[in-house]
């Protein structure tokens, strides 16, 4: 199937081609944000007929178009999609980051245009393979055996983080502190987080010895108030000093918090005073497929965003787990960054560019209308 054939012969292709024809016919005698978009596409140059149709697709159709078109398959992208994504990135301010903990996927996503790794949960590497075996054995061990298994765990965990930082190629990489329901009390969790941090700092040290740039963001998970956030901050600093010693001054770390829609907005605002980044976690929302609960979650996030904006307007806000259906909310609340699964990256990048162009076209059209009104009144 050629790139010029993919939109035909299917219900989706017929619907999309019909939308494009209607838009072009309408452009002959009228102006609208949609027809202004077509003019922008034409002026940009280097965009094929198929790419214009894709950009005009409804949000729910973009991912289907990428799938059925053949321009994305088996984790690779065609020259046509590569060109379209590059065009989208140049016409979009929203940063689109990858949400994966697998080094091979990180390397691929960064190579294909992801603007960093928006979230790796601290416990994810421990959920499979040899790391899981050693971690589980360490939790059950006592005495000298526990010390031996901890050293082995840190060695394996360090190797994992080195592979992550290498795959990220100097892009920002956000990691949350480990959370494990199997840990019975806070002291056990703090000990596991200590091992996580030591392994990460040793990985940063190894990367530094290889002149490899690393941009690390460390996220406290659901701190209930500002004092808890600062306690976690001090804990991280202590482990960094003990592990890196005089090399600590060469390590770049940004501190943030991972919050969900249940976070108290007032507490989030106080945390924002001290944070470099706030990551709003949509993956943990309790929507359960119920639209009412989804609206409640959106309202909860909106309250958090409003309160943090009052306290720190320039604070970086990132929405984790965002898909194409969430982008209107992202833009409505002025969120700077999103992180999404590898399979959603292309669709989110394309739709983001489309929404931003539509907004610019609407603003331009409104300004022209106002100017015309003022001229007629004058």
């Amino acid at each position: 199937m050629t790139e010029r054939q993919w939109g035909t012969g299917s219900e989706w292709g017929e619907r999309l081609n019909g939308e494009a024809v209607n838009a072009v016919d309408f452009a002959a005698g009228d102006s609208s944000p949609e027809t202004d978009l077509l003019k922008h596409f034409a002026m940009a140059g280097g965009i094929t007929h198929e790419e214009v149709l894709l950009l005009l697709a409804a949000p729910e159709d973009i991912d289907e178009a990428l799938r059925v078109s053949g321009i994305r398959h088996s984790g690779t992208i065609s020259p046509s999609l590569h060109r379209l994504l590059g065009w989208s990135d140049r016409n979009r301010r929203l940063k689109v980051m990858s949400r994966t903990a697998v080094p091979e996927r990180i390397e691929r996503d960064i190579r294909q245009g992801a603007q960093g790794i928006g979230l790796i949960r601290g416990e994810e590497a421990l959920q499979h393979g040899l790391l899981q075996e050693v971690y589980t054995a360490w939790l059950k061990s006592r005495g000298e055996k526990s010390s031996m298994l901890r050293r082995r765990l840190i060695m394996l965990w360090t190797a994992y983080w080195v592979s992550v930082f290498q795959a990220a190629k100097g892009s920002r990489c956000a990691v949350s502190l480990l959370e494990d329901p199997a840990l019975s009390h806070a002291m056990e969790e703090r000990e596991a987080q200590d091992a996580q941090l030591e392994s990460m700092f040793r990985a940063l040290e190894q990367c530094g010895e290889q002149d490899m740039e690393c941009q690390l963001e460390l996220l406290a998970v659901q701190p209930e108030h500002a004092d808890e956030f600062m306690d976690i901050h001090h804990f991280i600093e202590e482990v960094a000093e003990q592990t890196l010693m005089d090399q600590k001054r060469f390590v770049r770390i940004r501190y943030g918090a991972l919050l969900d829609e249940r976070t108290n907005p007032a507490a989030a605002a106080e945390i924002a005073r001290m944070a470099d980044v706030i990551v709003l976690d949509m993956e943990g929302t309790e929507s359960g497929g119920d639209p009412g609960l989804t609206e409640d979650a959106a309202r909860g996030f909106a309250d958090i965003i409003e309160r943090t904006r009052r306290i720190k307007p320039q604070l970086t806000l990132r929405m984790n787990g965002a898909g194409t259906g969430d982008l209107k909310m992202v833009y409505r609340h002025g969120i700077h960054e999103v992180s999404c699964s590898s399979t959603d990256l292309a669709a989110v990048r394309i739709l983001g560019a489309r929404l931003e162009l539509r907004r610019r076209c609407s603003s331009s059209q409104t300004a022209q209308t106002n100017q015309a009104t003022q001229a007629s009144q004058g």
Side-chain angles (χ1 to χ4, degrees):
M1 180 181 291
T2 67
E3 293 183 13
R4 187 158 294 279
Q5 292 172 330
W6 65 260
T8 60
S10 68
E11 178 185 352
W12 184 89
E14 292 172 1
R15 181 169 72 253
L16 189 54
N17 276 286
E19 291 175 0
V21 169
N22 291 338
V24 172
D25 289 343
F26 187 73
D30 295 282
S31 179
S32 70
E34 198 72 40
T35 56
D36 285 340
L37 271 176
L38 288 173
K39 295 175 185 176
H40 273 277
F41 298 156
M43 292 171 62
I47 297 181
T48 66
H49 171 71
E50 289 75 16
E51 292 162 356
V52 170
L53 293 181
L54 186 57
L55 282 164
L56 290 174
E60 64 272 16
D61 287 332
I62 289 180
D63 198 61
E64 181 186 358
L66 292 170
R67 180 181 59 81
V68 304
S69 67
I71 61 177
R72 183 185 71 186
H73 58 279
S74 303
T76 62
I77 58 177
S78 71
S80 177
L81 180 56
H82 181 77
R83 182 173 59 249
L84 178 57
L85 289 172
W87 182 89
S88 299
D89 293 341
R90 291 190 298 274
N91 286 277
R92 190 191 67 247
R93 294 182 180 179
L94 180 73
K95 291 186 179 298
V96 181
M97 309 173 80
S98 176
R99 166 68 182 98
T100 179
V102 180
E104 293 77 14
R105 292 180 185 171
I106 292 173
E107 192 277 333
R108 184 192 65 195
D109 289 349
I110 294 294
R111 186 179 68 250
Q112 294 183 354
Q115 295 169 287
I117 306 304
L119 176 64
I120 296 176
R121 299 187 191 274
E123 63 275 10
E124 287 184 301
L126 305 175
Q127 295 172 350
H128 50 78
L130 187 56
L131 260 171
Q132 181 186 42
E133 294 178 18
V134 175
Y135 174 70
T136 302
W138 174 57
L139 294 181
K140 296 177 180 179
S141 64
R142 296 293 183 270
E144 184 177 341
K145 184 176 181 181
S146 176
S147 299
M148 181 271 293
L149 286 171
R150 185 183 189 279
R151 290 193 296 271
R152 189 178 182 197
L153 173 67
I154 290 176
M155 178 188 69
L156 293 170
W157 219 347
T158 299
Y160 165 77
W161 292 119
V162 168
S163 66
V164 166
F165 298 144
Q166 288 176 337
K169 300 185 185 304
S171 300
R172 275 182 297 149
C173 188
V175 182
S176 65
L177 292 187
L178 174 147
E179 277 204 324
D180 185 354
L183 301 175
S184 58
H185 54 77
M187 287 300 296
E188 285 186 349
E189 184 173 75
R190 185 55 59 96
E191 189 175 356
Q193 291 172 348
D194 186 287
Q196 174 196 0
L197 291 169
E198 181 176 342
S199 66
M200 295 182 72
F201 293 141
R202 293 196 183 284
L204 289 174
E205 190 174 34
Q206 290 185 26
C207 292
E209 292 171 354
Q210 301 171 20
D211 293 326
M212 185 186 308
E213 182 182 6
C214 299
Q215 295 189 58
L216 177 62
E217 295 176 344
L218 288 174
L219 307 177
V221 181
Q222 302 297 333
E224 294 186 0
H225 44 73
D227 288 343
E228 182 180 348
F229 177 79
M230 286 309 300
D231 286 343
I232 295 171
H233 184 283
H234 294 324
F235 167 60
I236 294 172
E237 287 285 299
E238 181 182 358
V239 177
E241 290 174 0
Q242 294 172 352
T243 305
L244 299 170
M245 294 183 286
D246 61 338
Q247 296 299 309
K248 180 180 178 295
R249 65 182 185 274
F250 300 114
V251 174
R252 300 172 58 186
I253 300 176
R254 300 175 78 223
Y255 292 94
L258 181 66
L259 309 177
D260 66 17
E261 79 283 3
R262 298 166 295 180
T263 302
N264 182 290
E270 291 305 311
I271 292 168
R273 290 182 188 274
M274 297 162 285
D276 299 308
V277 57
I278 295 292
V279 180
L280 304 171
D281 190 10
M282 293 188 67
E283 289 180 337
T285 55
E286 299 177 348
S287 62
D290 186 334
L293 289 178
T294 299
E295 291 176 5
D296 289 342
R299 191 177 303 111
F301 284 127
D303 291 341
I304 293 171
I305 294 166
E306 180 184 359
R307 294 293 291 269
T308 56
R309 284 273 188 248
R310 292 183 198 168
I311 297 296
K312 204 170 184 179
Q314 301 306 315
L315 177 68
T316 298
L317 293 177
R318 179 182 311 143
M319 186 68 79
N320 175 61
T324 53
D326 305 305
L327 285 187
K328 288 185 178 180
M329 183 185 75
V330 165
Y331 281 107
R332 183 165 60 250
H333 294 296
I335 294 172
H336 307 94
E337 304 172 349
V338 296
S339 60
C340 54
S341 67
S342 300
T343 54
D344 288 336
L345 279 170
V348 169
R349 290 162 68 187
I350 291 169
L351 181 58
R354 173 184 171 176
L355 292 174
E356 291 191 29
L357 279 174
R358 181 188 294 275
R359 176 175 293 185
R360 289 198 288 270
C361 289
S362 297
S363 299
S364 175
Q365 188 176 28
T366 300
Q368 291 175 4
T369 301
N370 290 340
Q371 290 176 358
T373 301
Q374 292 173 359
S376 64
Q377 292 175 347

